[in-house]
Amino acid sequence: MEKVKRFDEELRNTYKDAFFLGRFVSYMFFGLGLLLMLIPFEPSDGIRMYMFQGLLMSTIGVKQYLQGYLYVKEGDHMVSIYKKLSYMPVTKAEIQKVRRGYLNRICVKVGSGMFVIQETMSLVNHSFGVASVMFVVCGIVLTWGFGWMYIYISK
């Protein structure tokens, strides 16, 4: 795992601009997602699309955050990081474990922000309840699940 982390450090140093842009865009999506979480979840209101837009923005942010760790640009096309690291003495499972660590770290940060904002707004709006909590928890789990799938589906 240390070899993969050292490779990632070198990768971030080599592609500083790409990583900066990827993080900037991912934080922009996270910010939009957190702003949309200001709309409190009300199950009596019926299911409306705006309820899920905050979760969708956060999921796109996670995908954008992981993009730099899963693909590298070579010339005109993108090459999978698994193909790049196939010549190093590391297994695919080790690479995925490091990527899951990045995913877990960003999901904890974004998920806690989503939870605090949504539940605070639900308390202010007097709509706090089990449905409100479950909406955020399921949203966080789905966002993490999509990130997990992105790591494992990338070839």
Side-chain angles (χ1 to χ4, degrees):
M1 261 182 26
E2 285 302 314
K3 291 179 183 179
V4 177
K5 288 182 181 180
R6 277 188 275 143
F7 176 82
D8 287 345
E9 189 176 327
E10 252 335 285
L11 187 68
R12 281 190 299 267
N13 289 335
T14 304
Y15 295 103
K16 283 182 184 176
D17 294 340
F19 270 87
F20 172 76
L21 188 60
R23 288 210 176 174
F24 176 76
V25 171
S26 68
Y27 291 147
M28 189 174 65
F29 278 113
F30 291 143
L32 285 172
L34 291 175
L35 281 175
L36 288 169
M37 293 304 281
L38 288 171
I39 302 168
F41 177 76
E42 296 181 29
S44 62
D45 217 11
I47 295 182
R48 305 229 192 277
M49 196 59 197
Y50 70 83
M51 294 177 183
F52 300 102
Q53 289 174 346
L55 302 176
L56 178 65
M57 291 296 153
S58 298
T59 303
I60 293 170
V62 166
K63 184 222 174 261
Q64 188 64 39
Y65 184 84
L66 292 173
Q67 181 77 23
Y69 292 109
L70 294 173
Y71 293 97
V72 178
K73 186 169 179 138
E74 274 190 356
D76 293 339
H77 60 282
M78 301 297 279
V79 177
S80 171
I81 202 74
Y82 300 118
K83 192 173 282 189
K84 284 292 231 187
L85 291 176
S86 65
Y87 303 106
M88 285 183 67
V90 294
T91 64
K92 191 172 182 178
E94 290 175 322
I95 299 167
Q96 290 171 342
K97 187 173 184 178
V98 172
R99 301 304 182 255
R100 280 192 321 262
Y102 298 148
L103 174 67
N104 292 342
R105 188 170 42 237
I106 197 69
C107 282
V108 164
K109 290 177 184 176
V110 173
S112 59
M114 287 169 55
F115 187 82
V116 167
I117 289 172
Q118 179 62 248
E119 297 313 312
T120 302
M121 292 311 294
S122 292
L123 281 171
V124 169
N125 197 39
H126 304 294
S127 62
F128 181 78
V130 174
S132 175
V133 172
M134 289 305 295
F135 170 72
V136 179
V137 170
C138 289
I140 293 167
V141 169
L142 284 174
T143 300
W144 181 85
F146 282 121
W148 186 85
M149 280 182 4
Y150 187 58
I151 290 171
Y152 283 89
I153 290 174
S154 299
K155 296 183 181 206

